[in-house]
Amino acid sequence: MDQTKKRKFGLTNNQLKIIAMVSMVLDHVGLLFFSDMIIFRVLGRIAFPIFAYMIAEGCRYTKNRAKYLGIIAGMGTVFQIVYFVAMQSLYQGILITFSLSIIVIYSIDGIVKSKKVWGRLAAIGALLCVAAFVFVLPRVLTETDFDIDYGIWGILLPVLVYLMPSRPWKVGAASLYLLIRAIYYTVVVPYPVQWWSLLSLPLLALYNGERGKAKMKYLFYIFYPAHLVILYGLAILIELLK
């Protein structure tokens, strides 16, 4: 009898992340080199919802929550230091955004599940720290470009997906979130390209819950800062050669 586990229909965690990585590269290539070609930004809208969804999945299935947060926050912090040295910018990248998402998720779990008062107080304290980082620091550092990539919107999507009980509910919640966000960016902020983020939904609906055979976890953590360093380096080089 063949004991080989039959692969489920659909896209694995790894496959979805690879799609998101390609989308992200196209987005940043368009931002840096082809600002007049909207197709790059359109294709780039696929990346964020997929990565956000997978952050929620990582929080649910990781065997070591502290390590999971530590890796993402650590990579994000190193990148921010390099980015500040190179660009003199305090703009916080997506790894910091997702680190805040993870802290919020862990804090909610701590408030709901902790049986000790100090555990709940620590969780509330963590939420207050996130709130201060998101809402207070931008008002304190008004003379800088301090901001968080995707802002509160970016922090909330992984949290929303994490709180849903099953994959259909998760995709449904992501759909509602992306729809509301697209409307907001059409009515309040004139950037209707956000409607194209809905292209990520069929891909997320095909997610089969499997990680995939290859162990690519660290590649995904390293890829974000690495590709930005390469692209910004190329942009600087091109500018110097003009």
Side-chain angles (χ1 to χ4, degrees), residues 107-129:
S107 298
I108 292 173
D109 275 354
I111 293 170
V112 173
K113 298 177 182 179
S114 180
K115 297 180 180 180
K116 297 181 180 180
V117 174
W118 67 264
R120 293 180 180 177
L121 290 176
I124 293 172
L127 284 178
L128 291 175
C129 288

Side-chain angles (χ1 to χ4, degrees), residues 148-219:
I148 300 165
D149 203 16
Y150 283 89
I152 190 64
W153 289 100
I155 295 170
L156 288 180
L157 182 53
V159 177
L160 184 62
V161 171
Y162 177 84
L163 293 175
M164 295 298 106
S166 63
R167 281 201 291 274
W169 278 95
K170 293 176 190 293
V171 175
S175 302
L176 180 61
Y177 165 97
L178 292 174
L179 180 61
I180 293 172
R181 186 168 178 267
I183 293 172
Y184 174 84
Y185 274 90
T186 301
V187 176
V188 180
V189 181
Y191 193 60
V193 74
Q194 293 296 349
W195 283 98
W196 295 102
S197 65
L198 297 173
L199 290 174
S200 65
L201 295 174
L203 298 171
L204 291 175
L206 288 172
Y207 175 48
N208 61 17
E210 295 184 348
R211 185 183 68 180
K213 293 182 179 181
K215 293 183 179 180
M216 304 174 69
K217 178 172 65 174
Y218 294 106
L219 169 64

Side-chain angles (χ1 to χ4, degrees), residues 22-46 191 193:
V22 172
S23 169
M24 182 169 60
V25 170
L26 291 173
D27 187 43
H28 292 151
V29 166
L31 177 66
L32 292 173
F33 304 109
F34 304 103
S35 58
D36 57 335
M37 297 180 66
I38 193 65
I39 185 62
F40 285 95
R41 310 314 306 278
V42 167
L43 295 174
R45 298 310 93 203
I46 297 172
Y191 193 60
V193 74

Side-chain angles (χ1 to χ4, degrees), residues 79-89:
F79 172 74
Q80 292 305 141
I81 294 172
V82 173
Y83 188 63
F84 176 76
V85 171
M87 309 297 292
Q88 286 75 54
S89 173

